[in-house]
Amino acid sequence: MSRRRHLVLETIYDPDEVGNGPADLDLVLVHGLNGDYEKTWTHEKTKVFWPRDLLPKKQPHTRVLSFSFNADIWGNTSVAGIRENARALLATLSDEREELEENERPIVFLAHSLGGLVVKQALCTASIETQYLPIAFATRGLMFYGTPHAGAEQDRWLAIAKSFAPLAPPARGRSRVSALVEALETNSKDIAGICEDFRCRARNYAIVSFFETFAWPGTSSTIVGRMSALMNLDHEDQVPLDAHHMDLCRFESERDPAFKRTYLRIKKAAKGNLSNGGQAGAGMGGGVTYNQYVIYGGQPPKAV
């Protein structure tokens, strides 16, 4: 059995490679805990991998990339390594957009569960590091599926850690709480800081937050409840889905209502936060592109 690759950005669909011309949008998928670049987005019964099997039919000019990182619950420090994984995401995405004309191609990030924290940290880093500024400027929208947004309240993060326990019960022969819960509790202060740092940048992007309405099988509660899955921003699109935590971003077929809600919001998110000008980098450089930002020496052009 071949070893699964980590810290790479897999190309799921490239319109240029199939004769549909250059891409006009990069959709970047980021999985969560116990997921990977493919199975997180694949329906268990129908085996439909919607980023490859469904989305290109609706959006043939959208390039789809999926980030792969070690998110196994046991035997690694994936939760503690949010900052490291975020930096790897930026590095791999930057490599895929190295041509000058690619700097201005809009980006929409689509993240499941704690993968949303990796995206948040990545954008916080990108906004202050010169080499990654093109990504910060090009990002138009963020779509979160069951991502906990607990802000800076460490006590709430401790409660969220316990809610994830059903996803990773203790291994056979172990009576202690799962490694996932321990990691979340240990790093709750750090994770809370990431969420608080991102909140002041959230107005730069269109924000879509999907939340689960089905309890986790065998329990009477959701993994990430509505109050945790929402940022409660004025421009946030809050969308309930009839699914439990792991099925939020898996779609049975093209007729699945949840898939329709997803691809329509990808189109909207690609336009940016319309209440903030709807342009990439609107909150960073006055709505200018990265190339204009460089030309004007790090300042937005003066109004004519």
Side-chain angles (χ1 to χ4, degrees):
M1 182 181 295
S2 61
R3 180 178 179 272
R4 186 169 45 173
R5 297 190 304 170
H6 292 307
L7 301 184
V8 296
L9 200 60
E10 302 283 356
T11 300
I12 306 304
Y13 169 77
D14 187 337
D16 204 28
E17 292 181 355
V18 297
N20 284 337
D24 59 15
L25 174 69
D26 277 348
L27 179 67
V28 182
L29 311 178
V30 182
H31 63 77
L33 287 160
N34 260 14
D36 73 4
Y37 78 95
E38 184 173 0
K39 77 175 184 180
T40 292
W41 322 102
T42 300
H43 193 274
E44 287 191 321
K45 290 184 178 179
T46 65
K47 305 305 179 185
V48 168
F49 179 34
W50 68 265
R52 179 195 65 201
D53 301 332
L54 304 181
L55 189 65
K57 298 176 183 178
K58 299 294 183 180
Q59 297 177 230
H61 301 295
T62 295
R63 182 171 67 159
V64 184
L65 306 168
S66 189
F67 183 54
S68 175
F69 65 101
N70 189 352
D72 295 341
I73 287 173
W74 295 100
N76 77 81
T77 57
S78 61
V79 177
I82 286 176
R83 296 183 189 276
E84 292 78 8
N85 287 321
R87 186 166 291 279
L89 171 60
L90 290 174
T92 54
L93 182 55
S94 181
D95 290 345
E96 290 291 333
R97 296 166 56 89
E98 60 181 351
E99 299 297 330
L100 184 62
E101 62 272 15
E102 292 181 318
N103 282 342
E104 295 183 8
R105 180 187 297 156
I107 300 170
V108 170
F109 286 96
L110 192 154
H112 176 244
S113 189
L114 293 179
L117 302 183
V118 174
V119 171
K120 284 182 172 184
Q121 178 58 50
L123 289 173
C124 287
T125 299
S127 68
I128 59 175
E129 294 194 9
T130 303
Q131 63 180 327
Y132 298 129
L133 273 177
I135 292 174
F137 271 78
T139 299
R140 300 291 181 92
L142 311 174
M143 299 175 62
F144 298 110
Y145 289 73
T147 292
H149 302 294
E153 299 173 25
Q154 190 176 359
D155 289 344
R156 287 186 62 190
W157 273 107
L158 298 179
I160 286 173
K162 291 180 172 61
S163 76
F164 271 90
L167 296 184
R172 183 174 298 178
R174 300 182 186 182
S175 59
R176 66 179 178 82
V177 72
S178 74
L180 165 61
V181 177
E182 288 183 340
L184 280 170
E185 290 181 341
T186 300
N187 294 282
S188 59
K189 183 176 181 179
D190 187 49
I191 296 172
I194 291 172
C195 290
E196 187 67 11
D197 289 345
F198 175 78
R199 191 171 183 86
C200 67
R201 296 177 171 86
R203 67 185 180 89
N204 296 348
Y205 316 109
I207 302 288
V208 184
S209 295
F210 294 89
F211 59 93
E212 61 219 63
T213 59
F214 283 10
W216 182 252
T219 75
S220 59
S221 61
T222 56
I223 300 298
V224 179
R226 181 180 182 276
M227 295 305 296
S228 295
L230 302 178
M231 296 182 70
N232 292 314
L233 302 170
D234 290 341
H235 69 287
E236 178 184 19
D237 187 4
Q238 303 176 354
V239 186
L241 292 179
D242 287 341
H244 63 63
H245 188 71
M246 298 304 291
D247 280 350
L248 275 173
C249 51
R250 295 170 176 168
F251 312 128
E252 184 176 19
S253 68
E254 188 175 347
R255 296 183 178 180
D256 192 323
F259 171 63
K260 182 177 182 179
R261 289 174 186 156
T262 286
Y263 80 76
L264 289 178
R265 281 165 178 80
I266 292 172
K267 292 181 178 180
K268 291 180 180 178
K271 299 176 182 177
N273 177 11
L274 297 180
S275 66
N276 198 34
Q279 298 182 41
M284 299 178 60
V288 302
T289 67
Y290 174 73
N291 289 338
Q292 288 174 326
Y293 179 86
V294 172
I295 290 171
Y296 285 90
Q299 297 294 328
K302 296 179 181 180
V304 177

